Amino acid sequence: MMTCLFENYARWDIEIESGSGTHVVDSTGTAYLDFTSGIGVCNLGHCHPSVIESVSNQMQKLWHTSNLFKSSLQEQVAEKLTEFSNGSSVFFCNSGAEANEAAIKLARKYTGKSKIITFHQSFHGRTLGTMAATGQDKVKQGFGPMLETFIHLPFNDIEALKNEIDDETAAVMLEIIQGEGGVFPAEESFLLELENLCQKHGALLIVDEVQTGIGRTGTPFAYQHYQISPDIITSAKGLGNGFPTGAMIGKEQLKTAFNPGSHGSTFGGNPLAMSAAKATLDTVFEKEFLSEVNNKGNYLFEKLSEQLSSLKSLKSIRYKGLMFGLEFSEEVGPLLSLLRENGLIVLSAGPNVMRLLPPLTVTYEEMDVAIEKISTTLLESKKATC
Ligand SMILES: Cc1ncc(COP(=O)(O)O)c(C=O)c1O
């Protein structure tokens, strides 16, 4: 088919036309269970009623003013983000890459240094800065030269970090669970030592919570599973439940580094985006809601482990809350296609990892259906290749 679009996405041959909760329907009327949430975005499921109501109300009032004006909506969302994190100031933008760009700029300006350490297999975005920060060569091919001030180290390797971090280091940036890189969690001891090293060398600790934040792992932000206190937290994806928005949250002492004119975004903190974020956070940050995310994650893990125990090609299941990575000894691409044919949409994370990011509102019945589809599809495909 002729297309007027740049072909920078390997798109599936499906057009989703509508969605509700965990369900989506394509242009041919075929229904699917969506265990991707639009790549970790619709954490409250598709077309969540309270988000619809909040955005619809705002739509009738005002769409855009600019950051020349005060905004009580931005204040309310910022209050919520700081109440549920250790930060005290928020900068709003429109995407994960922009939130990370803001973090990189803030770290440079606050410390007066430029060296930033990130990790192999990390993913931080597609802008020139965040692409350079990303620890995956495939993302960079053809776009060089890269910004030179990023150093990439093996993940969870504290010795490598000890050898590299010095007083010239502005920041260490990492995902608490590497999402695009294969659903690999940071180890607790690594995080604790990493924080100590940052403090010793006057380097800021930046956690990229673009994928892991907004309840995905069963806490408001994933770093809260550990006794660490990052200087900067970045957020996007789930923040607007599908309405594009991002945020960078910083600790109190960083506030003075951003003054009028030092950074900005025309659309950042747009009223429609803020109305979506407000409604989203009002639900997701509720204690009972988050404890259910943990319960559901444990249930999904137990059932998947049980049902797939005879599958030799399954090497491990990694999960926290409702962020899952099933690692196989073979490429998962063909399995993803078979699952779609059977009405379940899941993701990959690298060649061998099947990633599940269901809406946090997923029901136990929907999980049972998905587990059944995964086990029958995977076990049958094994039979067919034996
Ligand atoms: C951890 C992480 N950081 C940053 C990004 C980039 O976000 P965006 O695509 O909104 O720019 C992503 C997107 O997948 C991500 O997973």
Side-chain angles (χ1 to χ4, degrees):
M1 192 185 88
M2 276 287 287
T3 174
C4 295
L5 299 171
F6 274 108
E7 298 192 75
N8 53 316
Y9 301 108
R11 295 176 195 270
W12 298 326
D13 194 17
I14 294 174
E15 178 159 2
I16 303 293
E17 277 193 349
S18 64
S20 172
T22 312
H23 300 267
V24 291
V25 179
D26 76 8
S27 52
T28 69
T30 306
Y32 303 84
L33 267 183
D34 178 10
F35 266 46
T36 75
S37 307
I39 318 191
V41 169
C42 301
N43 284 1
L44 287 178
H46 295 278
C47 295
H48 189 273
S50 71
V51 184
I52 291 181
E53 191 189 348
S54 182
V55 176
S56 309
N57 288 342
Q58 185 58 41
M59 212 165 234
Q60 308 300 322
K61 279 205 258 176
L62 185 72
W63 286 34
H64 181 80
T65 53
S66 82
N67 284 306
L68 292 171
F69 297 91
K70 298 202 291 190
S71 167
S72 55
L73 258 176
Q74 283 188 24
E75 293 288 351
Q76 287 164 35
V77 179
E79 261 176 41
K80 199 88 183 178
L81 287 170
T82 54
E83 183 189 341
F84 286 88
S85 72
N86 64 341
S88 65
S89 305
V90 180
F91 165 78
F92 287 111
C93 50
N94 313 287
S95 68
E98 280 178 78
N100 286 336
E101 282 286 338
I104 293 163
K105 286 179 70 175
L106 183 64
R108 281 182 166 210
K109 193 148 185 290
Y110 177 77
T111 62
K113 304 186 271 187
S114 60
K115 172 173 162 179
I116 297 187
I117 297 175
T118 64
F119 296 95
H120 295 168
Q121 293 308 115
S122 61
F123 185 80
H124 299 295
R126 302 277 190 171
T127 59
L128 278 175
T130 59
M131 170 178 65
T134 292
Q136 301 188 41
D137 288 344
K138 66 174 190 216
V139 168
K140 306 180 186 189
Q141 265 158 29
F143 296 117
M146 292 292 128
L147 272 182
E148 285 168 357
T149 55
F150 291 97
I151 308 280
H152 304 98
L153 300 179
F155 197 43
N156 283 326
D157 184 341
I158 201 66
E159 290 309 315
L161 184 62
K162 274 186 197 155
N163 290 335
E164 187 59 53
I165 194 167
D166 56 18
D167 293 346
E168 294 309 307
T169 309
V172 177
M173 176 154 98
L174 82 161
E175 296 155 83
I176 299 293
I177 301 172
Q178 292 187 332
E180 301 303 306
V183 193
F184 280 109
E187 286 161 14
E188 181 164 26
S189 58
F190 177 70
L191 287 172
L192 297 177
E193 281 204 62
L194 181 152
E195 179 174 61
N196 282 338
L197 288 170
C198 283
Q199 281 164 4
K200 181 168 157 206
H201 292 286
L204 300 182
L205 170 53
I206 304 173
V207 291
D208 175 344
E209 295 257 13
V210 168
Q211 190 161 151
T212 50
I214 319 297
R216 172 54 57 190
T217 70
T219 46
F221 297 97
Y223 81 85
Q224 291 160 332
H225 291 285
Y226 307 98
Q227 296 300 311
I228 58 167
S229 176
D231 298 290
I232 302 177
I233 303 155
T234 57
S235 176
K237 286 193 184 282
L239 182 57
N241 208 55
F243 206 105
T245 184
M248 176 194 64
I249 308 161
K251 271 188 176 166
E252 176 67 30
Q253 63 268 30
L254 306 181
K255 195 163 194 146
T256 49
F258 267 7
N259 39 25
S262 49
H263 194 51
S265 160
T266 296
F267 292 119
N270 164 283
L272 295 177
M274 290 297 98
S275 65
K278 186 170 179 297
T280 303
L281 298 184
D282 279 347
T283 303
V284 173
F285 285 175
E286 282 294 316
K287 218 170 166 182
E288 298 73 37
F289 183 88
L290 289 169
S291 81
E292 258 308 276
V293 172
N294 286 308
N295 295 341
K296 288 175 190 176
N298 293 339
Y299 178 83
L300 188 54
F301 174 72
E302 274 162 31
K303 292 278 162 178
L304 281 173
S305 308
E306 213 175 278
Q307 300 272 328
L308 301 178
S309 61
S310 66
L311 202 63
K312 296 271 177 312
S313 57
L314 177 63
K315 287 171 68 184
S316 68
I317 303 180
R318 298 184 284 271
Y319 82 108
K320 198 141 221 129
L322 282 167
M323 180 167 187
F324 274 71
L326 283 66
E327 183 165 348
F328 290 86
S329 54
E330 61 199 13
E331 299 210 347
V332 296
L335 295 176
L336 264 57
S337 309
L338 286 174
L339 284 169
R340 284 195 298 277
E341 281 165 25
N342 288 340
L344 178 69
I345 311 176
V346 302
L347 293 161
S348 59
N352 291 5
V353 177
M354 182 187 291
R355 183 171 34 149
L356 309 180
L357 300 171
L360 309 180
T361 48
V362 67
T363 64
Y364 287 87
E365 292 73 28
E366 287 164 350
M367 285 194 286
D368 285 342
V369 174
I371 292 159
E372 180 62 23
K373 284 183 192 293
I374 292 172
S375 57
T376 48
T377 308
L378 267 54
L379 294 170
E380 300 232 318
S381 86
K382 270 288 116 205
K383 264 192 238 146
T385 53
C386 287

